[in-house]
Amino acid sequence: MENIIKKELFGMQDLKYRDFHKKLIPGVDPDRIIGIRTPDLRKFAKKIKNEACAQSFLTELPHTFYEENNLHGFLIEQIRDYDRCIDELNRFLPYIDNWATCDGIRPKCFGKNTDRLYMEIEKWLSDSHTYTVRFGIEMLMTFYLDEKYDRKYPERVSRIISSEYYVNMMIAWYFATALAKQWESIIPFLEENQLPVWVHNKTIQKAVESYRITEEQKLYLRSLKRK
């Protein structure tokens, strides 16, 4: 089954795109990159999601190629049954080895199960694997900054202390997005220096680059930079 899918993937190969895309994921061995545009890969995932080859593919870990991992994530995000989606996700998360695969997974069933989802997010945030933690922060950013917002969520993220670049970048991205959506609640985290210096300054940088932050807010944020 895996060979059938691998043949299909190589049939979508775009060598120019591969040469461009490999620069965006420096931590991935270039020999593991086929070179497939994301819309094409998502379209393929939708096409095969109910076929036997897709179900078999989900059991075949680890994969060899970067795009196989992306396809795996795209298949998981289409699983409508919440419990099965979580089971498949928890099997797959330890194998994620780059930010692009991690950030590309958006399970459709999560939006209707946010009360249950937070228990899983807590586990992910406490994990030792870089991209499991990153994924957990991203899910908080995706599903808990609007009507489901509670200050306990940014407080939980602020307690994550990591030496991993891709974890700290996601923390900064989380707080920059949170500033745009929940300014009054989030700005004290910067005013009171509740974040590590690098994360603090990166949060400000990303927020200042956002069109969702007003010029007045950007001016104030710049005044909060730390040395």
Side-chain angles (χ1 to χ4, degrees), residues 103-135:
D103 296 2
I105 305 173
R106 291 286 193 284
K108 293 178 174 59
C109 65
F110 280 9
K112 295 181 179 180
N113 291 277
T114 50
D115 292 341
R116 299 176 65 193
L117 177 62
Y118 185 68
M119 293 186 292
E120 293 298 326
I121 290 176
E122 272 288 354
K123 298 175 187 176
W124 297 333
L125 297 181
S126 300
D127 202 273
S128 61
H129 180 238
T130 295
Y131 295 102
T132 299
V133 177
R134 182 180 172 100
F135 182 77

Side-chain angles (χ1 to χ4, degrees), residues 211-225:
Y211 68 90
R212 295 181 293 181
I213 300 290
T214 69
E215 291 303 317
E216 183 180 6
Q217 290 171 332
K218 290 178 182 180
L219 186 64
Y220 181 57
L221 285 171
R222 290 189 182 100
S223 74
L224 296 178
K225 286 185 178 179

Side-chain angles (χ1 to χ4, degrees), residues 42-73:
R42 285 189 180 279
K43 184 177 179 180
F44 179 61
K46 289 181 180 179
K47 176 184 175 182
I48 68 169
K49 65 180 181 179
N50 294 320
E51 296 182 11
C53 63
Q55 307 313 310
S56 177
F57 179 77
L58 289 177
T59 70
E60 295 163 354
L61 287 168
H63 299 300
T64 302
F65 293 98
Y66 162 74
E67 284 86 354
E68 288 181 297
N69 278 336
N70 288 352
L71 176 62
H72 198 120

